[in-house]
Amino acid sequence: MDEIARLAEVSKPTVSRALSDSPLVNPATKQHVLAVAKAHGYAVNRNAQNLRNKRTNTIAVSLDFLSHKKNHISDPFIFDLLAGVSEALGELNQDLLLCAPIHNDTDAFQQILSSKVADGFIVLGQGHREQMLGDFARGGAPLVVWGAGTDETPYCVIGSDNFAGGQLAGKYFLEKGRSRFLFAGDTTYREISLRRAGLQQAADDSERSISIHDLAASQFSFESAFDLANNYLQTIDEPPDAIFAFSDTAAMAFIRAFRDHGISVPEDVSVVGYNDIPSAAYFSPPITTIRQDPYQAGRLLVSNLVNMLEGIAPVSAKIKTELIVRET
Amino acid sequence: MDEIARLAEVSKPTVSRALSDSPLVNPATKQHVLAVAKAHGYAVNRNAQNLRNKRTNTIAVSLDFLSHKKNHISDPFIFDLLAGVSEALGELNQDLLLCAPIHNDTDAFQQILSSKVADGFIVLGQGHREQMLGDFARGGAPLVVWGAGTDETPYCVIGSDNFAGGQLAGKYFLEKGRSRFLFAGDTTYREISLRRAGLQQAADDSERSISIHDLAASQFSFESAFDLANNYLQTIDEPPDAIFAFSDTAAMAFIRAFRDHGISVPEDVSVVGYNDIPSAAYFSPPITTIRQDPYQAGRLLVSNLVNMLEGIAPVSAKIKTELIVRET
DNA sequence: AAATGCATTTCAATCGATTTTTGAAATGCA
DNA sequence: TGCATTTCAAAAATCGATTGAAATGCATTT
């Protein structure tokens, strides 16, 4: 900046002010400085700037799904979530620091904040970390989470309206005259357990006698859901006539497994997935599913966190869910 | 750091050296300083550190696919690529700055470098930016790219061995006695055109009379591939007996479209996809495809870029491809 | 007892910006 | 012409670390 000041024949503070569009500098001078800076390809050193300003304009995004392990979610819907976050941040001139799973514990999070690498956190997928995230938030960390919470959750949560999603699936099954439901999903995740509760609610609201069987899908991949379905089919006498799966991927796996066992979809069993990933519409049979809008959710995460950093209280929100009826 | 120095009753430089595990400080002193720092939750300010060191330990990753637009690739294989990059960087204590598509031009790239936000670039998917990336690299920017290059490409390229992949598909078709090939993919992308060339080579190497028809899939989504396939089927008299699609997703779309038109797969037409995404194995019919190892490729991108930053010349590499034979 | 060598530690300058304070020139008004 | 204001630019302090040079302390050698 000294160099630019010399070339523009002004002082360093004037260059600084010109570049940050301060009203304290004469418009003519400003133009001149900007031209000189551009001509010499000068860009403000962000480290010095951040050091002085005590602000980084960087948001850390924890993507727990990003893992090589079998257990990773590869649902494209995560992509849309990340796309929403990324684009919204870009528009606000905020940088996005992507945190590997390896760094996803309290100490690592705290470290990022105290070493002034990022100003706040967006956590995509709270998983089983509600306790740790709660502690972190109560400790004053700017934090916004994609997931599901309760009235007591001490941080801002944006998530699908899982309960409503569960109800939609339940009502759909009831319309189809189904009565032996299978819920496939790991209810130790709050998101999933809310869907289960919604399904239950729909069943309870009907005057009919409905059974709900639970099958804990502990992993997220196609493979594991397929294995789970096959193992399940070995153990039962009478198959369910409706399946609500925690994801479209899992729904596909279940459909494949059931068909392999001579159980036809949708004649013998109705199936509802979750997320409405693109291939759900092109699977055979095309899958009935619950759609949400992850891109908008991503944007909402950003606006809430940015508000929080400016001292405006963020507001948790549930994203609308919609039943997309296809052939299953 | 002054504060920690005072509390530990040593000087600031000693604290700095203790924290960076310098041999210039007495082991006992070091222990003491570390303990004090830990007790007070102190972390070195990365902005000050980077400013002084003129190094950020941050790598910018340009993910061109990450876009809300219809044209985005949502193949999970990108996830594995990103996972490999992310984990390898994590192990090297490097941070990952994710660049939104909005920032993907030369100026923005140069800006990131000159404002000392990141030390180098990993570009996932060169797309049609070979010229700009070439200029950038020739300008001295540390840069490693996932894609395909030529002998003249001035930057390090890691990519699938697309030519070999194309050959594998071609040989497979020949074994099946096919002779009217359809190549579905946008050959303006070098990766895709290499696959096309590999397919051609396989055809030429045989003594048989083989036709290859080209169908330019300009977008990457399931939907657009499905539309493309349907439009194509309207215009032709005699359908092909083999389809090599640029992705598994596109292969699925083609299979659906062909089946809808009463053309059976694999009886009437063989299909080979690319990437071996998890659902390829569970689609009906399970898809024959070309597998690569994007996770390892991601790691290789990182090691090459890190080498480059240390002054060691990176080496471009082609990732082995493998034909996974399933039912199509 | 003085000199030498070595291991530690401290001092002071530096990285590149921002901001408060200060100062000089220009303007307005009596 | 003289004094009070207003504009604009410059000086200097600051953010929080790192590092080469200088200083200190202690053991060993002569």
Side-chain angles (χ1 to χ4, degrees), chain B residues 94-120:
Chain B
Q94 299 277 325
D95 285 337
L96 192 170
L97 184 84
L98 194 67
C99 293
I102 199 175
H103 286 141
N104 285 351
D105 59 79
T106 325
D107 279 358
F109 273 32
Q110 190 56 60
Q111 174 98 5
I112 285 174
L113 244 34
S114 31
S115 64
K116 295 291 189 303
V117 172
D119 298 328

Side-chain angles (χ1 to χ4, degrees), chain B residues 46-305:
Chain B
R46 281 281 299 276
N47 297 123
Q49 189 174 49
N50 292 346
L51 173 60
R52 183 62 225 239
N53 291 346
K54 296 171 182 295
R55 176 137 204 222
T56 66
N57 292 313
T58 300
I59 300 300
V61 173
S62 156
L63 226 196
D64 206 33
F65 313 115
L66 192 68
S67 165
H68 180 48
K69 307 303 174 302
K70 275 203 299 286
N71 196 23
H72 74 164
I73 295 187
S74 52
D75 261 335
F77 111 96
I78 302 287
F79 249 118
D80 291 333
L81 201 51
L82 191 56
V85 169
S86 162
E87 289 188 18
L89 285 176
E91 287 163 19
L92 296 169
N93 279 311
Q94 299 277 325
D95 285 337
L96 192 170
L97 184 84
L98 194 67
C99 293
I102 199 175
H103 286 141
N104 285 351
D105 59 79
T106 325
D107 279 358
F109 273 32
Q110 190 56 60
Q111 174 98 5
I112 285 174
L113 244 34
S114 31
S115 64
K116 295 291 189 303
V117 172
D119 298 328
F121 276 89
I122 290 178
V123 177
L124 300 184
Q126 61 190 1
H128 289 130
R129 298 177 296 170
E130 288 187 38
Q131 184 65 48
M132 103 81 159
L133 292 173
D135 292 346
F136 194 49
R138 270 184 295 265
L143 173 68
V144 169
V145 177
W146 166 258
T150 67
D151 292 344
E152 275 75 43
T153 302
Y155 46 82
C156 170
V157 183
I158 308 291
S160 166
D161 190 343
N162 292 289
F163 187 85
Q167 283 185 299
L168 286 172
K171 284 178 188 155
Y172 174 74
F173 292 151
L174 291 165
E175 277 171 26
K176 295 279 173 187
R178 305 302 190 179
S179 63
R180 296 189 313 283
F181 298 177
L182 173 66
F183 182 83
D186 184 349
T187 50
T188 63
Y189 291 95
R190 188 179 297 281
E191 295 93 317
I192 308 292
S193 92
L194 283 166
R195 294 180 200 168
R196 171 69 173 78
L199 187 70
Q200 184 74 58
Q201 182 73 55
D204 293 350
D205 285 350
S206 79
E207 305 294 288
R208 313 226 300 272
S209 161
I210 305 292
S211 71
I212 304 186
H213 185 75
D214 285 287
L215 193 53
S218 60
Q219 302 212 324
F220 297 112
S221 69
F222 202 110
E223 294 87 332
S224 64
F226 189 66
D227 293 345
L228 181 74
N230 279 318
N231 290 337
Y232 170 72
L233 285 163
Q234 306 291 345
T235 64
I236 53 163
D237 304 323
E238 190 184 33
D241 60 14
I243 305 173
F244 182 28
F246 72 94
S247 74
D248 291 335
T249 307
M252 292 177 190
F254 271 79
I255 292 169
R256 285 273 303 169
F258 271 62
R259 287 191 157 188
D260 288 355
H261 279 250
I263 302 168
S264 67
V265 179
E267 291 77 8
D268 299 332
V269 51
S270 296
V271 178
V272 173
Y274 213 98
N275 292 341
D276 192 24
I277 65 177
S279 55
Y282 297 91
F283 195 73
S284 63
I287 296 171
T288 298
T289 188
I290 309 287
R291 176 187 292 170
Q292 45 189 337
D293 189 344
Y295 177 78
Q296 284 306 327
R299 302 189 64 94
L300 203 51
L301 284 163
V302 169
S303 61
N304 271 284
L305 181 57

Side-chain angles (χ1 to χ4, degrees), chain B residues 7-22:
Chain B
L7 292 164
E9 296 181 306
V10 294
S11 71
K12 189 162 61 153
T14 302
V15 175
S16 174
R17 293 202 175 94
L19 291 172
S20 60
D21 202 32
S22 155

Side-chain angles (χ1 to χ4, degrees), chain A residues 110 159 252 277:
Chain A
Q110 190 55 61
M252 292 176 190
I277 64 177

